[in-house]
Amino acid sequence: MNKFISALIISIAVSICAVCYTQSKNSEFENSLVRLHIVANSDSEEDQRVKLLVRDEILKTVDASDEYFLEKAQICANRVLEKSGMPYRAGARCGRFYFPEKEYNGITLPNGEYFGLKILLGEGQGKNWWCILYPPVCTSTDVDKERLKKDMSADTYDIISSKNSSAVVKLRVVEIVNGISQKLDELKR
């Protein structure tokens, strides 16, 4: 019985350490990036096409380091909608939003709350598009990866880079605790 209790205590201690480590690394990701999330009006072919036009224009013209980037993003999105003859408008908001785990050309970001720019087109009921607005890695080039590498600590970049040859261990208990934390945060709002 003593061996069982000792093993249980060690397992709990290791789990707590893993959760703390994961949360500290997630915090670095979450606080050093600006994520971009564009939600289409609907899943119609035309709304999805326009969503990608909005995406392209925002990536070309909006700089997340500009203090007015929120206003510029909304103006940019509405300009594209108007040119495309769409009967709806775009809304833009900044804040902390939940993002699922996502891979961008060899960079995998864990799920969690990140500062982001969310663009809702019309009703915002369609398929969405995700990326990283700052540092700009949406274009998926090696230059962008180098900028991301420069803006993060070396060990953090190694964790999210699939080019890292070391294994990344995912503990199910960490994912469960993070999921419960996310649900509790959502209930508070």
Side-chain angles (χ1 to χ4, degrees):
M1 188 65 151
N2 285 340
K3 288 182 181 181
F4 174 75
I5 292 173
S6 295
L8 182 62
I9 290 171
I10 290 170
S11 296
I12 291 170
V14 168
S15 296
I16 290 171
C17 290
V19 167
C20 291
Y21 176 77
T22 300
Q23 288 178 339
S24 73
K25 286 302 168 189
N26 282 356
S27 179
E28 182 177 344
F29 303 139
E30 294 165 1
N31 293 323
S32 62
L33 303 172
V34 177
R35 306 280 300 265
L36 175 61
H37 184 199
I38 302 174
V39 184
N41 180 58
S42 74
D43 286 336
S44 76
E45 212 173 289
E46 183 65 7
D47 284 342
Q48 289 297 311
R49 184 187 70 76
V50 169
K51 172 190 72 179
L52 298 178
L53 292 174
V54 169
R55 172 203 64 190
D56 294 344
E57 195 62 28
I58 286 177
L59 293 177
K60 276 195 306 194
T61 60
V62 175
D63 180 358
S65 63
D66 181 341
E67 71 178 294
Y68 300 107
F69 81 96
L70 175 63
E71 293 87 356
K72 289 180 178 179
Q74 186 164 340
I75 290 167
C76 175
N78 280 317
R79 190 178 321 121
V80 171
L81 294 176
E82 189 177 309
K83 283 182 184 177
S84 301
M86 303 312 284
Y88 51 82
R89 306 284 290 158
R93 3 178 236 167
C94 283
R96 294 193 64 77
F97 303 107
Y98 176 79
F99 287 84
E101 181 179 285
K102 191 76 176 159
E103 182 179 338
Y104 304 101
N105 193 35
I107 301 295
T108 302
L109 296 179
N111 67 335
E113 280 199 10
Y114 292 83
F115 182 77
L117 168 62
K118 183 178 266 191
I119 306 286
L120 291 174
L121 304 178
E123 297 295 316
Q125 300 296 312
K127 292 179 185 157
N128 56 66
W129 185 85
W130 313 81
C131 198
I132 304 169
L133 189 59
Y134 182 84
V137 296
C138 292
T139 56
S140 303
T141 66
D142 290 333
V143 174
D144 295 328
K145 284 184 184 180
E146 287 303 315
R147 183 165 181 185
L148 187 61
K149 191 174 186 178
K150 184 180 104 180
D151 289 347
M152 295 185 144
S153 67
D155 64 330
T156 300
Y157 181 81
D158 285 345
I159 289 170
I160 64 172
S161 173
S162 64
K163 289 185 178 179
N164 183 2
S165 59
S166 63
V168 175
V169 177
K170 285 188 175 183
L171 297 176
R172 182 68 182 142
V173 70
V174 174
E175 292 175 348
I176 291 169
V177 169
N178 285 340
I180 291 170
S181 295
Q182 174 62 36
K183 295 291 183 197
L184 291 174
D185 286 343
E186 288 173 4
L187 290 174
K188 289 179 189 176
R189 293 180 205 167

